[in-house]
Amino acid sequence: KPKLFEIKEKGIPFYTILNLYLSICKAKTIGITGSNGKTTTSRLIWEILKTNPPNPLSHKGGVRSSVVYAGNDRGAVQNLFAAEALRETDFLVLEISNRQLMLLDDRSPNIAVITNITENNLTENNSFEDYRDTKFKIWKFQKEGDCAIVNLGDTVSRQCLDIVDFKAKIITFGNNGIISIKNNQIFANNEFILNISDIKIPGKHNFENVLAAVAATYFARVAPEIIKQAISEFKGVEKRLEFIGEVNAVKFYNDLASTTPTSTIAAINAFPDAKSITLILGGDDKNLKYEDLVKKIEESVNTLILMDGTVSEKVAPLIKGVGGFDREFISYNQKLTEFAKQNRNNPSKPEVKIWSEALNRDKLKGYRFLRQKPINNFILDFYCSKLLLGIEIPRVELYARID
């Protein structure tokens, strides 16, 4: 907000929630940012730290600690009092947004992670380089004894090694980093942590999230067996390729938190063996490019449904312009009922359906949600099962038409 920057220039003090957490907390702080995967990585780190047993940990003399999870994640409870009460041996895990980093004052998290950097939030930055440098700010105020966790597998993140004046210890992951995958096994400093097969959340993109979480918690002196246990029990985060049900051998996934073309591509790539994929796409444009997403849709998606919105207005001409999408396609200006009539009796039913709002908030134009979590029922009932499969599911009245 321009007004806030004007206030700051006048010397009037104000604080973001991130700056407040970092200023009052005596515990070790772990901060996670990135264009994609920061919520999954943050939740993984939180779960690993919560899994610590009551007895002292075996790895490097660590001890059990209390942990508070807060920050940018909408599912996190903001509790400054709980953060202030933490001891020096405890942990505060913070998901950190681009906006919060813009206003970072004089403190950085003790352990600071960037999952990756791709085009995102360009409507709020002067350029992609400005956006990248804002992400790099998470390491700006670190000191000796702190830890900067860098993704060597991400081209843009890797640029920090030439740009950032690091004072903290650098821990790398991916692409032959200190935390890496060898022969389908994850190692930390050549110490075995877990097998790739232990990871339950779908998609190869989640391997990077797991590596980042391993890097943060290994440096925090958590035992490898505890890291393995927590990761193997982690089932993912809601609205992030969240499995919501199976009807007539068709699997439904809620990926509403996918807010960039990159994350939507990752969602499609998560199902390489699917016989058929339906993608429901929509949302608000954030001044991003969609050519790579359209290419992936052309290659891998069997049925594309575009919801009303500025993203659809950009994607539809690209799809039509390529001319190679010879499968089922319904644009934002067609009626779903007409599409349903054509496909209801189609014997070649999709195997996987992904709802990806791609590219912004989890809202649906024309619907008022009456409960906290109606979206899964909405997807299964109205759009996916009833319209596309032609079958009825017992209806749960969690939404109401308002237009």
Short mmCIF file of all heavy atoms in Angstrom, two decimals, residues 10 135 180 205 304 383 396:
data_model
loop_
_atom_site.label_atom_id
_atom_site.label_comp_id
_atom_site.label_asym_id
_atom_site.label_seq_id
_atom_site.Cartn_x
_atom_site.Cartn_y
_atom_site.Cartn_z
N LYS A 10 8.06 9.23 6.50
CA LYS A 10 7.90 10.33 7.45
C LYS A 10 8.47 9.98 8.83
O LYS A 10 8.42 10.80 9.74
CB LYS A 10 6.42 10.69 7.58
CG LYS A 10 5.83 11.32 6.33
CD LYS A 10 4.35 11.63 6.51
CE LYS A 10 3.76 12.23 5.25
NZ LYS A 10 2.31 12.51 5.37
N LYS A 135 12.68 -11.45 -2.78
CA LYS A 135 12.79 -12.78 -2.17
C LYS A 135 14.14 -12.94 -1.47
O LYS A 135 14.22 -13.49 -0.36
CB LYS A 135 12.62 -13.87 -3.23
CG LYS A 135 11.22 -14.01 -3.77
CD LYS A 135 10.25 -14.43 -2.68
CE LYS A 135 8.88 -14.75 -3.24
NZ LYS A 135 7.88 -14.98 -2.16
N SER A 180 20.32 -33.94 -1.00
CA SER A 180 20.12 -34.33 -2.39
C SER A 180 19.50 -35.72 -2.49
O SER A 180 19.38 -36.45 -1.50
CB SER A 180 21.46 -34.31 -3.14
OG SER A 180 22.39 -35.20 -2.54
N HIS A 205 7.34 -32.32 -8.11
CA HIS A 205 7.66 -30.99 -7.58
C HIS A 205 7.72 -31.01 -6.06
O HIS A 205 8.41 -30.18 -5.46
CB HIS A 205 6.62 -29.98 -8.05
CG HIS A 205 5.23 -30.25 -7.57
ND1 HIS A 205 4.44 -31.25 -8.07
CD2 HIS A 205 4.48 -29.65 -6.61
CE1 HIS A 205 3.27 -31.26 -7.46
NE2 HIS A 205 3.27 -30.30 -6.57
N LEU A 304 -10.51 -29.60 -21.08
CA LEU A 304 -10.21 -28.32 -20.45
C LEU A 304 -11.49 -27.54 -20.26
O LEU A 304 -12.26 -27.35 -21.21
CB LEU A 304 -9.24 -27.51 -21.31
CG LEU A 304 -8.95 -26.08 -20.83
CD1 LEU A 304 -8.21 -26.11 -19.50
CD2 LEU A 304 -8.17 -25.31 -21.88
N TYR A 383 -19.99 -29.65 -10.42
CA TYR A 383 -19.24 -29.58 -11.67
C TYR A 383 -18.78 -30.94 -12.17
O TYR A 383 -18.99 -31.30 -13.31
CB TYR A 383 -18.03 -28.65 -11.52
CG TYR A 383 -18.39 -27.24 -11.85
CD1 TYR A 383 -18.64 -26.32 -10.86
CD2 TYR A 383 -18.54 -26.84 -13.17
CE1 TYR A 383 -19.00 -25.03 -11.16
CE2 TYR A 383 -18.91 -25.55 -13.48
CZ TYR A 383 -19.14 -24.64 -12.48
OH TYR A 383 -19.52 -23.37 -12.78
N VAL A 396 -24.97 -32.13 -0.45
CA VAL A 396 -24.76 -31.47 0.84
C VAL A 396 -24.94 -29.98 0.61
O VAL A 396 -24.23 -29.38 -0.20
CB VAL A 396 -23.35 -31.76 1.38
CG1 VAL A 396 -23.17 -31.09 2.75
CG2 VAL A 396 -23.13 -33.26 1.49
#
